[in-house]
Amino acid sequence: MEKISGSQAVIKSLIKENVDTIFGYPGGAIMPIYDALYGYKEDITHILVRHEQGAIHAAQGYARASKKCGIVFATSGPGATNLITGLADAMIDSTPVVCITGQVHSSLLGTDAFQETDVIGISMPVTKWNIQITKSQDIPNAIAKAFYIAKSGRPGPVLIDITKDAQFDLLNFDYEFCKHIRSYFPFPIINKKEIKNAAKEINKSKRPLLVIGQGIILSNAENALLDFVKKTDIPVASTLLGLGAFPNKHKNYVGYLGMHGNYAPNIMTNECDLLIAIGMRFDDRVTGNTDKYAKQAKVIHIDIDKAELNKIIPAHYTIHADAKEALNELTSVVFEKKHSNWNREFEILEKQELNQVIYKSIKPKSGKIKMAEVINLLTKKADKNTIVTTDVGQHQMVTSRYYKYENTRTNITSGGLGTMGFALPAAIGAKLGAKNKTVIAIIGDGGFQMNIQELGTIMQSNIDIKMIILNNNFLGMVRQWQEMFFNKRYSFTDIQNPNFIKIAEGYGIKGKKIENRALLDRGMDQLLKSKGSFLLEIICEKEENVFPMVKTGCSVSEIILK
């Protein structure tokens, strides 16, 4: 064993865990760790962000594109507290992130020293696990444990807070990978009886509906899902975070669920006789009014997180299991069936939405450019392996509805927390996590300005990101609600924007602004064929609404088309 400092132990531990990229921002309390990192430039790439929130969102994008943990460095006090939004986002969206924060000297803890905050207390509700280290010899074990917890079971963020003296003090370095933690059982043992009972319901069902979430992606169950659907012929609907887990062009794919989802799967949720939910948590945006949700159906719920079972929607059959394992087991015992008539009922409703909403949105005959026609054009031109990151708002819902996700891990968005400012830094992380793929950030004019400073990160690290701003000069989603439910009292949602193209040019990024529909096709080609980062700003219809929509308090079957 070699004797090294705590800060060196941090870097050596990360190298043992095959870390190749860190997103961070240096400061006083984490300076020893940054000094240790200086000697490992050949082993680890450090991306200097412009704000700690940018660091953790970039780490999320990296994790979701690469299947690895995202790594973040931040200093104490405001550096650490700036991570909280991203931690909460990663927690609710099950993203494996390891954050390492510096802390004041252990002798100063609790004294309100300069840049001291109780980051452990603050972050406890939004982390899967956190710990404060005051002794250097505890660093390797803490990091090994952090990676195990972040990646195993239902993934999530962890935070390690290391005091400055622990970073300086020496230790005998020895690294052992964590493979087990007492009382923590992230890999449930599948119950064969539960599988058999669920299979009986599937075999006798006449009108089954399969609802998939991000759990399919996190468990690498995409092929297992395809095999299950091929055998059972069950229609498949996706949650927001489940998009990409099942090819949108597959004959059994019936659409995207939720408040602004597709008409057919929302309606048919209250018409099916069996609802099979896999790797999803019955978020309120998916269920609408739970008192009116799928009351006619038997419910099978499969999830690796036991806490999600029977939490919101009571299930007749619960299977506490990894999604891939459960699907493989189910496929081996279910009957081969055809549900032709049932699938045709979805097609009838899909045509209603096509005629009343979609065609009018993607092929408008006049007026300003619509968001839907932009996304429709993009999905026709973009490579199917393109990774799309979205912010939060109308543009997010439009992208989710109109972009055709054919491959897994190509949809990176903020789901449960709904974090504006997510898309730009997440795109940075996604590009570094999947260097051979095109990454496009689709952002609203409001959200873009929340982390616009990360254009500096793109500039300094020479990262190739394509950006589309759908600019309607409004905080569009809030404005839509104000129009529909507050008698058009647009209270502080009309936003005055800067010259985005000039700002991008200031960071050495080329850009183009489009206001005329006739120039849209050429502008999209310019974006996709550009070498290096490019910003395409598209001026859209100012008061465009996103439909269909399930109003708050309504049943999913009360979804409106206009």
Side-chain angles (χ1 to χ4, degrees):
M1 290 188 291
E2 57 179 326
K3 210 170 187 67
I4 61 174
S5 69
S7 55
Q8 288 176 306
V10 169
I11 306 305
K12 282 183 172 288
S13 297
L14 294 178
I15 290 172
K16 289 283 188 180
E17 292 286 352
N18 294 317
V19 170
D20 56 20
T21 306
I22 297 169
F23 304 92
Y25 201 93
I30 200 171
M31 206 177 297
I33 292 176
Y34 268 93
D35 184 65
L37 181 61
Y38 189 83
Y40 293 90
K41 291 181 180 179
E42 300 300 318
D43 303 294
I44 297 178
T45 298
H46 179 274
I47 302 298
L48 178 64
V49 297
R50 297 304 185 263
H51 190 284
E52 290 86 357
Q53 185 178 347
I56 191 162
H57 289 331
Q60 289 176 267
Y62 176 91
R64 286 165 67 174
S66 70
K67 299 185 182 182
K68 298 173 69 176
C69 274
I71 313 298
V72 178
F73 281 178
T75 195
S76 63
T81 59
N82 283 341
L83 299 178
I84 299 302
T85 296
L87 286 169
D89 194 288
M91 184 69 174
I92 200 165
D93 283 355
S94 308
T95 307
V97 177
V98 174
C99 295
I100 296 176
T101 55
Q103 184 56 274
V104 299
H105 194 285
S106 59
S107 65
L108 296 174
L109 291 172
T111 68
D112 293 332
F114 177 68
Q115 290 194 333
E116 181 205 355
T117 56
D118 178 13
V119 68
I120 296 300
I122 293 169
S123 65
M124 190 173 290
V126 292
T127 51
K128 192 176 176 186
W129 179 69
N130 66 9
I131 189 171
Q132 186 172 79
I133 303 295
T134 59
K135 297 182 184 301
S136 60
Q137 60 262 35
D138 295 334
I139 288 172
N141 286 340
I143 290 177
K145 188 175 179 180
F147 274 85
Y148 180 70
I149 292 173
K151 293 189 293 184
S152 60
R154 179 179 178 177
V158 300
L159 183 140
I160 305 172
D161 192 45
I162 309 176
T163 60
K164 203 165 185 179
D165 50 320
Q167 297 173 47
F168 277 122
D169 290 346
L170 300 180
L171 71 149
N172 291 314
F173 181 74
D174 182 36
Y175 196 80
E176 292 186 14
F177 293 98
C178 182
K179 297 178 181 178
H180 173 74
I181 298 172
R182 189 176 65 181
S183 77
Y184 173 57
F185 306 105
F187 306 109
I189 298 171
I190 202 159
N191 186 318
K192 297 294 182 72
K193 185 177 179 180
E194 292 174 351
I195 292 291
K196 288 181 180 179
N197 289 336
K200 286 180 183 178
E201 286 296 335
I202 294 169
N203 289 335
K204 70 182 183 181
S205 171
K206 304 295 184 185
R207 300 162 68 85
L209 175 61
L210 182 57
V211 178
I212 61 166
Q214 190 186 199
I216 298 292
I217 298 167
L218 295 175
S219 65
N220 301 310
E222 296 89 345
N223 289 332
L225 175 63
L226 284 168
D227 290 342
F228 177 77
V229 173
K230 182 179 180 181
K231 189 172 184 180
T232 61
D233 196 34
I234 297 175
V236 180
S238 173
T239 67
L240 174 63
L241 291 183
L243 290 169
F246 192 78
N248 280 191
K249 292 181 181 177
H250 194 285
K251 67 181 183 67
N252 286 80
Y253 182 72
V254 295
Y256 156 57
L257 281 163
M259 179 175 281
H260 290 288
N262 292 113
Y263 190 59
N266 276 297
I267 290 286
M268 289 307 197
T269 296
N270 281 1
E271 297 293 330
C272 65
D273 62 10
L274 178 66
L275 186 70
I276 310 164
I278 307 180
M280 57 86 72
R281 57 187 181 83
F282 290 111
D283 177 80
D284 63 291
R285 285 296 193 263
V286 168
T287 64
N289 187 336
T290 54
D291 291 336
K292 302 177 182 179
Y293 185 80
K295 293 299 181 182
Q296 79 296 334
K298 293 285 182 68
V299 176
I300 298 171
H301 192 183
I302 302 170
D303 206 284
I304 199 167
D305 185 354
K306 194 172 185 178
E308 294 297 344
L309 301 174
N310 291 317
K311 186 176 84 172
I312 296 172
I313 299 298
H316 299 82
Y317 304 94
T318 59
I319 300 175
H320 180 214
D322 172 81
K324 184 177 180 179
E325 287 185 32
L327 278 166
N328 284 334
E329 290 287 343
L330 281 171
T331 303
S332 68
V333 292
V334 294
F335 298 157
E336 188 166 343
K337 294 180 74 174
K338 290 294 179 185
H339 292 286
S340 303
N341 292 336
W342 173 233
N343 277 296
R344 270 195 290 273
E345 290 188 43
F346 285 87
E347 293 172 10
I348 293 168
L349 293 174
E350 182 184 6
K351 287 179 182 178
Q352 287 186 40
E353 184 179 353
L354 280 168
N355 293 327
Q356 295 186 48
V357 180
I358 294 176
Y359 288 145
K360 294 177 182 178
S361 298
I362 64 176
K363 296 180 180 179
K365 296 179 180 178
S366 60
K368 290 280 188 180
I369 297 171
K370 287 185 175 289
M371 291 179 284
E373 67 178 303
V374 176
I375 303 304
N376 183 61
L377 180 63
L378 175 64
T379 200
K380 286 180 178 179
K381 290 179 176 287
D383 180 90
K384 65 180 181 179
N385 291 312
T386 295
I387 294 173
V388 175
T389 71
T390 50
D391 227 84
V392 172
Q394 285 184 318
H395 72 277
Q396 178 193 34
M397 297 295 98
V398 170
T399 304
S400 302
R401 286 176 47 76
Y402 294 98
Y403 192 85
K404 303 301 180 187
Y405 295 96
E406 293 304 310
N407 286 321
T408 189
R409 294 186 182 269
T410 54
N411 166 46
I412 298 176
T413 192
S414 173
L417 195 65
T419 305
M420 292 177 70
F422 175 86
L424 182 58
I428 292 171
K431 182 62 181 179
L432 293 167
K435 293 183 175 67
N436 295 325
K437 293 184 179 181
T438 299
V439 177
I440 301 176
I442 301 173
I443 319 175
D445 47 310
F448 187 66
Q449 294 176 80
M450 287 199 169
N451 272 316
I452 195 171
Q453 75 284 342
E454 297 309 325
L455 293 173
T457 305
I458 293 172
M459 174 186 68
Q460 181 167 347
S461 297
N462 193 28
I463 303 169
D464 183 2
I465 303 295
K466 316 302 180 190
M467 295 161 278
I468 298 175
I469 300 177
L470 298 180
N471 185 355
N472 55 15
N473 289 284
F474 258 123
L475 301 178
M477 185 59 78
V478 183
R479 185 216 56 78
Q480 178 169 338
W481 281 54
Q482 288 174 336
E483 176 185 334
M484 296 179 69
F485 309 118
F486 294 90
N487 298 319
K488 290 191 176 182
R489 294 193 298 276
Y490 296 153
S491 181
F492 303 102
T493 47
D494 192 338
I495 186 169
Q496 185 174 349
N497 292 314
N499 188 323
F500 291 122
I501 304 303
K502 282 191 175 181
I503 291 174
E505 288 174 359
Y507 286 103
I509 298 170
K510 295 179 182 179
K512 186 180 185 68
K513 181 177 181 178
I514 292 178
E515 300 184 65
N516 189 325
R517 180 173 286 112
L519 302 175
L520 184 58
D521 193 275
R522 190 190 309 168
M524 192 67 74
D525 286 338
Q526 190 174 352
L527 170 88
L528 295 173
K529 294 176 182 178
S530 65
K531 292 184 178 180
S533 290
F534 193 94
L535 173 64
L536 184 66
E537 179 187 3
I538 302 171
I539 305 302
C540 298
E541 183 180 322
K542 194 171 173 66
E543 295 184 59
E544 179 182 355
N545 290 329
V546 183
F547 289 104
M549 181 178 182
V550 179
K551 295 181 181 179
T552 300
C554 289
S555 158
V556 289
S557 58
E558 296 174 283
I559 186 170
I560 57 175
L561 288 170
K562 58 183 179 179

